[in-house]
Amino acid sequence: MSPPIRFDSAEFAENDAEEIWREGIDAIFEIQRPKDPPAPFRAKMESWALGGMLLMSHVVGGDVEFQRTRRRIATSGIDHYLVHCLLDGTLMSTFGRDTQQVPLGSVVMRDLVVENIGFTRDAPMLTLTIPRQAIDRRTGGALRMHGLSWDPTDPIGVLIASHMRTLASVATAMDDEQALVAGEATLDFIAACVLRRAERWAESGDPRLTPVIRAQALSYIEGNLADTSLGPARLREILKVSRTALYELFEPMGGVAEYVRARRLDEAMRRLESPLHARDLIGAIASAVGFMSESTFNRVFKERFGCTPTEARGRRAGGVFTGFGVTATGNGAGHPDDARGVGAMTAAKIRDLRA
């Protein structure tokens, strides 16, 4: 298999090491660390590609907040599940009004379309990063998986944790075919465990409500955001489903209108942050994603992101909310020059995952 991607902060100057580490994590989260941490920055990461998913062993010292914000959800281009196995230290998460303290040795799932804030303190863990469709096509989708967990006394949790540890211990020795087999088997195993534990959003007996139809609906929406007629009637016509079936298909997402509006706003944010659209007028961007009124666009954009489109573009131009540049060249002890790109390589691996 491809060589694992490894990072050890001890091999770099402290400031360079943190920049490289941030660039890898920045693909998913906005990071907050204390301004004056009591100890020097230290972190290690190692990741292996296993077919269509990524296994990562990682730890960062001290206190860290990992924020999956609405802005990051809109602009990251990542739609994955995370499966964490906590090996030591402290891990907790807040989402909505809920706070989840993760017991040592337990396994917990995160859905990256859910806004949440994770907090770690000296917490080595193993993480599987899995594209949404890889799980959904095995389970039928429409499952509430964010926050799903197995504690250390749960036999299924023990099996998942043991399996993840075993994968990490043998991944480097696998060839490409073995990595693919291990990845597919792991996905089947995780999906089977999820089906026994997760709550499914209620659906009718309409046989057309399948993952295939769901994927077709989402794909059609993505390709037609500029169409001002995009809505329930148009989708029923395209998908050949009943009003009730369409409602139940989109009920987990807040309904058709809410989902379409959210995707339009997310695409607008992506364009505002993209250098390719730096010269586009804000009104042109609003029109390109299906808003007929610029004033309406400005209002709902601020409701979703907490800033105006002009402010969002200005923050990008000022260097806020962008990725972190990598300038490290190692500690002078024969460290290869391309090691400074390990953060970017990790981020690219995460973004490129496909079911």
Side-chain angles (χ1 to χ4, degrees), residues 3-43:
I5 301 175
R6 292 189 176 96
F7 166 77
D8 187 341
S9 61
E11 298 178 357
F12 299 89
E14 183 176 351
N15 289 342
D16 294 337
E18 184 168 354
E19 286 185 355
I20 295 169
W21 171 79
R22 281 178 176 269
E23 186 168 32
I25 304 300
D26 191 59
I28 301 178
F29 298 106
E30 294 175 11
I31 307 297
Q32 296 292 332
R33 295 186 67 241
K35 291 184 178 180
D36 298 305
F41 176 79
R42 54 186 175 82

Side-chain angles (χ1 to χ4, degrees), residues 176 203 218:
D176 289 341
E203 292 184 353
L218 301 185

Side-chain angles (χ1 to χ4, degrees), residues 61 96 118 132 166 178 183 243 247-248 272 301-302 312 318 326 329 341 348:
R132 179 176 305 277
T166 301
Q178 291 168 334
R243 183 188 300 271
Y247 172 84
E248 293 186 349
L272 287 166
F301 187 96
K302 187 169 185 178
V326 179
T329 57

Side-chain angles (χ1 to χ4, degrees), residues 114-287:
V114 177
E115 290 182 77
N116 70 95
I117 299 176
F119 169 82
T120 67
R121 174 177 291 159
D122 300 321
M125 68 184 78
L126 298 171
T127 297
L128 290 170
T129 303
I130 305 173
R132 179 176 305 277
Q133 289 187 3
I135 291 291
D136 287 0
R137 76 185 183 203
R138 288 170 167 84
T139 63
L143 295 174
R144 305 186 192 198
M145 288 194 277
H146 188 82
L148 192 67
S149 65
W150 295 263
D151 66 41
T153 63
D154 186 321
I156 297 299
V158 172
L159 280 174
I160 299 173
S162 176
H163 180 72
M164 293 176 68
R165 291 190 183 98
T166 301
L167 277 178
S169 69
V170 302
T172 301
M174 291 182 183
D175 60 30
D176 289 341
E177 183 178 357
Q178 291 168 334
L180 179 60
V181 170
E184 289 297 304
T186 299
L187 287 170
D188 289 342
F189 175 45
I190 296 293
C193 296
V194 164
L195 277 170
R196 295 291 301 272
R197 177 63 64 89
E199 178 183 355
R200 187 179 297 278
W201 291 93
E203 292 184 353
S204 75
D206 190 333
R208 293 168 296 185
L209 284 180
T210 65
V212 173
I213 296 297
R214 184 177 293 107
Q216 289 175 347
L218 301 185
S219 177
Y220 183 83
I221 290 171
E222 291 301 310
N224 292 273
L225 292 175
D227 183 355
T228 57
S229 69
L230 181 62
R234 183 66 176 147
L235 284 174
R236 289 201 308 272
E237 177 186 349
I238 294 296
L239 301 174
K240 310 300 182 187
V241 296
S242 67
R243 183 188 300 271
T244 299
L246 186 69
Y247 172 84
E248 293 186 349
L249 185 65
F250 279 87
E251 194 270 341
M253 308 169 199
V256 175
E258 177 60 29
Y259 179 79
V260 169
R261 187 175 77 161
R263 290 302 306 129
R264 283 172 166 159
L265 291 170
D266 289 353
E267 175 60 17
M269 175 64 87
R270 188 193 69 78
R271 295 188 183 208
L272 287 166
E273 290 205 330
S274 171
L276 296 176
H277 297 276
R279 296 186 178 183
D280 292 357
L281 297 175
I282 288 176
I285 289 177
S287 178

Side-chain angles (χ1 to χ4, degrees), residues 289-345:
V289 297
F291 285 92
M292 300 179 66
S293 164
E294 186 174 348
S295 61
T296 298
F297 169 70
N298 290 336
R299 175 176 56 79
V300 296
F301 187 96
K302 187 169 185 178
E303 288 174 358
R304 182 163 178 79
F305 296 111
C307 64
T308 66
T310 301
E311 289 169 342
R313 173 169 276 173
R315 288 173 179 176
R316 181 199 172 278
V320 181
F321 298 116
T322 63
F324 294 82
V326 179
T327 58
T329 57
N331 59 7
H335 196 81
D337 289 342
D338 63 358
R340 64 186 182 182
V342 68
M345 291 169 61

